[in-house]
Amino acid sequence: MSEAQSIQWYPGHMAKTKRKIEQDLKLVDAVAELVDARVPVSSRNPLLATLIENKPRIILLNKSDMADAAETTRWIAAYKQEGAWALAVDCKSGKGVNGFVPLVREALKDRIAQWEAKGMAGRAIRIMVVGIPNVGKSSLINKLTRGGKAEVEDRPGVTRQNRWFRVGKGMDLLDTPGVLWPKFEDPIAGERLAFTGAVRDDILDVEWLAMRLLELLAAEYPQALRQRYKFEELPQPLEGAALLELVGRKRGMLVSGGEVDTLRAATMLLDEFRAGKLGRITLEKAGR
């Protein structure tokens, strides 16, 4: 198997965002952290845990429609064992999003009771929405507000400033730009974020990335490759270059001389994985 390469992407606005989150935490009652249900470990920014400290946290496993349903259930159970609140959602379609407000109220029920005892019944709950780039924060806000006001685009780094949004009469959401961290200590985490589109493709070796993804899928979800690309058998050993070549041939991506256009094949593979066309896949398992 080819070795993981170091992937780094920390634009200047992310350092500014980190400082802004630190300043604005005093304005909110809890934090809603969106993670990618396909990579629940790699898509959680370790810096956020330090920044958030003792604020109640609600973890939303977004893009759950593209994740292995059984694994998502295991992740929710694991978060509950840690004392966290968690919910599987698909912010694009809105599936599961209606459970967000009740879950927030459950997480803050003691705080709400204190407000009511002080004559502050009806005080708006203030929630900061955080997460890495392209994880679905703006889509969540648009579904909750029904106003379509937050920027939504299928590329990382679109939201560049903090903004407040009203959810009904009882909740305000603070949207924040996506924040990665200055250095991925684990190259595997950077790689898996790149698989899902959290890192800009124009700084990546797309062919190498596709080879790494193919090796992982061949080991964990071989049937998904067989079904999508009509493989009779996977080549042995499960080596990325051979797998990418086979994918390109199956799709007829040939150039003069009968050679495979591996860049085109790699781009297609990553696009299809990110669109969920290979099936429901979770690359990080609970308990491992």
Side-chain angles (χ1 to χ4, degrees):
M1 182 173 285
S2 54
E3 293 184 0
Q5 298 181 13
S6 177
I7 295 174
Q8 306 298 331
W9 185 54
Y10 193 65
H13 78 273
M14 289 190 180
K16 181 180 179 181
T17 298
K18 176 178 175 289
R19 294 192 295 270
K20 183 65 173 169
I21 288 175
E22 289 177 304
Q23 294 170 5
D24 288 348
L25 272 170
K26 63 181 178 293
L27 304 177
V28 301
D29 306 303
V31 175
E33 180 184 3
L34 271 78
V35 302
D36 189 321
R38 298 167 296 176
V39 285
V41 176
S42 295
S43 60
R44 293 189 74 185
N45 188 334
L47 288 179
L48 289 176
T50 302
L51 295 176
I52 295 169
E53 294 182 338
N54 296 323
K55 293 280 183 182
R57 187 187 305 193
I58 296 90
I59 301 170
L60 300 176
L61 290 109
N62 191 30
K63 306 185 182 182
S64 59
D65 60 314
M66 293 189 285
D68 185 322
E71 286 300 326
T72 298
T73 298
R74 293 187 187 99
W75 275 111
I76 290 175
Y79 292 136
K80 287 181 178 178
Q81 286 184 343
E82 297 173 4
W85 291 269
L87 180 69
V89 297
D90 173 29
C91 294
K92 184 173 288 188
S93 70
K95 183 178 180 180
V97 171
N98 287 341
F100 175 71
V101 172
L103 189 63
V104 168
R105 292 190 176 281
E106 174 64 21
L108 292 173
K109 62 181 180 181
D110 292 341
R111 182 72 59 84
I112 293 171
Q114 291 174 358
W115 294 337
E116 292 175 348
K118 295 178 180 179
M120 300 168 61
R123 175 196 180 282
I125 300 170
R126 301 187 184 102
I127 306 294
M128 179 183 287
V129 182
V130 300
I132 65 169
N134 203 31
V135 77
K137 297 181 299 298
S138 295
S139 294
L140 171 70
I141 290 170
N142 288 340
K143 289 296 181 184
L144 290 170
T145 61
R146 307 182 191 279
K149 297 178 181 179
E151 294 174 277
V152 177
E153 191 169 332
D154 191 20
R155 63 182 175 89
V158 173
T159 302
R160 292 298 182 91
Q161 59 184 345
N162 294 5
R163 290 176 297 169
W164 286 98
F165 297 90
R166 172 58 56 92
V167 178
K169 296 181 179 179
M171 186 176 296
D172 293 329
L173 301 179
L174 177 60
D175 188 20
T176 63
V179 184
L180 288 175
W181 42 108
K183 182 179 181 180
F184 300 127
E185 298 297 335
D186 180 0
I188 298 298
E191 176 181 280
R192 291 179 179 174
L193 290 172
F195 290 157
T196 62
V199 181
R200 296 173 66 95
D201 282 343
D202 57 13
I203 69 164
L204 303 171
D205 181 337
V206 173
E207 291 170 270
W208 164 81
L209 189 65
M211 292 178 192
R212 289 286 295 175
L213 177 58
L214 281 166
E215 290 172 350
L216 183 56
L217 292 175
E220 298 284 344
Y221 291 93
Q223 190 61 26
L225 291 180
R226 292 192 187 98
Q227 290 179 351
R228 184 66 186 172
Y229 301 112
K230 311 303 181 186
F231 293 166
E232 293 180 4
E233 292 185 4
L234 297 179
Q236 298 295 330
L238 299 175
E239 197 272 325
L243 288 164
L244 183 59
E245 177 108 0
L246 186 54
V247 167
R249 289 195 179 280
K250 287 290 186 179
R251 288 295 178 90
M253 296 179 173
L254 306 178
V255 294
S256 58
E259 294 185 1
V260 174
D261 185 341
T262 51
L263 177 58
R264 184 182 170 201
T267 302
M268 177 273 299
L269 173 81
L270 291 169
D271 286 346
E272 292 197 346
F273 172 74
R274 292 167 184 170
K277 293 181 179 179
L278 276 74
R280 301 183 67 162
I281 292 170
T282 298
L283 301 179
E284 295 171 338
K285 315 297 187 184
R288 289 194 192 177

